[in-house]
Amino acid sequence: MLKQLGRKPFVLNALGGVFAAYVRMVQKTTRWTFEPGDLASTLESDAPVILSLWHGQHVFVPIGWPSHLPVAALVARHADGEINAVALEKLGFGTIRGAGGGGDQRKLIKRGGMRALRGMVRALKGGTSIAITADVPQVGGIVGEGIVLLAKLSGRPIRPLVVVTRRRRHFNSWDKATLSLPFGRGAIVLGDTVRVGPDADEQELENARLAVGDALNRAHARAYQITGGDVWVDRHG
């Protein structure tokens, strides 16, 4: 009964609203450092971009996104995804529903991800940036093929965007999720650009896939260094 209740739209909407309110509280009560200092104008000049995120480290990214730039996030089709979608929409993000950015192309097709992929390509070509978790669901820390395929088809650059607070709580979940806490220091870091050519072959796509993971880890390591406390652990290690 509780499980069924948890799937009701009004419950999911309420939970999403609570989480959005919490994200805004963290945003307003944290002293932020931006890297680069002109992060907003850098994103504006690069837009539309593909924001690459790690699972478990992605939920506070709306704090770092310039509110005047259009953006949509890829959200999975399950109960947790519904909560995320509600929260993101309340925080100014659009949403595209479908499979995640990780996994192989066969799984993307089977799970309806190709429809989402086409939607993301259209959005990027129309000027809307896309936020996407790059790693394989239920694995974590291993970039899948989806994000580099999206970059190839759209011609848009991939940029990691990391939002970290000094006060944070880590969970022993598959994605090593982190919950940012309010009333402290925070860092918003834009990582190195990864580009994929329209004619990229299999080896070039593989090189780009590895480069996305390296860029994500470097950006997280830098954000953790700025905020202090525990050290970012390379999730590929």
Side-chain angles (χ1 to χ4, degrees), residues 96-158:
I96 295 174
R97 310 311 297 272
D104 60 36
Q105 293 183 45
R106 288 171 297 177
K107 289 182 180 180
L108 286 173
I109 293 170
K110 184 177 179 181
R111 297 169 60 197
M114 288 305 293
R115 187 181 303 109
L117 182 62
R118 289 193 293 268
M120 289 188 290
V121 171
R122 286 195 299 270
L124 287 162
K125 291 187 175 181
T128 296
S129 293
I130 293 294
I132 182 172
T133 47
D135 47 344
V136 180
Q138 302 303 318
V139 178
I142 304 296
V143 175
E145 299 173 353
I147 191 169
V148 293
L149 180 60
L150 176 61
K152 175 179 178 177
L153 294 175
S154 67
R156 302 312 304 164
I158 300 170

Side-chain angles (χ1 to χ4, degrees), residues 151-153 195-201 204-205:
K152 175 179 178 177
L153 294 175
R195 296 183 182 274
V196 182
D199 300 318
D201 59 23
E204 290 170 324
L205 287 172

Side-chain angles (χ1 to χ4, degrees), residues 171-225:
F171 296 92
N172 189 27
S173 55
W174 69 265
D175 57 1
K176 302 297 188 291
T178 299
L179 178 68
S180 292
L181 301 175
F183 308 110
R185 296 180 56 200
I188 300 174
V189 175
L190 185 64
D192 297 330
T193 303
V194 177
R195 296 183 182 274
V196 182
D199 300 318
D201 59 23
E202 187 173 330
Q203 185 58 55
E204 290 170 324
L205 287 172
E206 174 63 10
N207 292 341
R209 187 187 69 81
L210 295 174
V212 171
D214 289 341
L216 272 163
N217 279 327
R218 286 195 301 272
H220 277 86
R222 177 56 182 156
Y224 272 51
Q225 181 183 45

Side-chain angles (χ1 to χ4, degrees), residues 69-84:
L69 297 179
V71 60
L74 178 64
V75 181
R77 294 181 179 276
H78 50 61
D80 288 347
E82 293 295 335
I83 296 170
N84 288 335

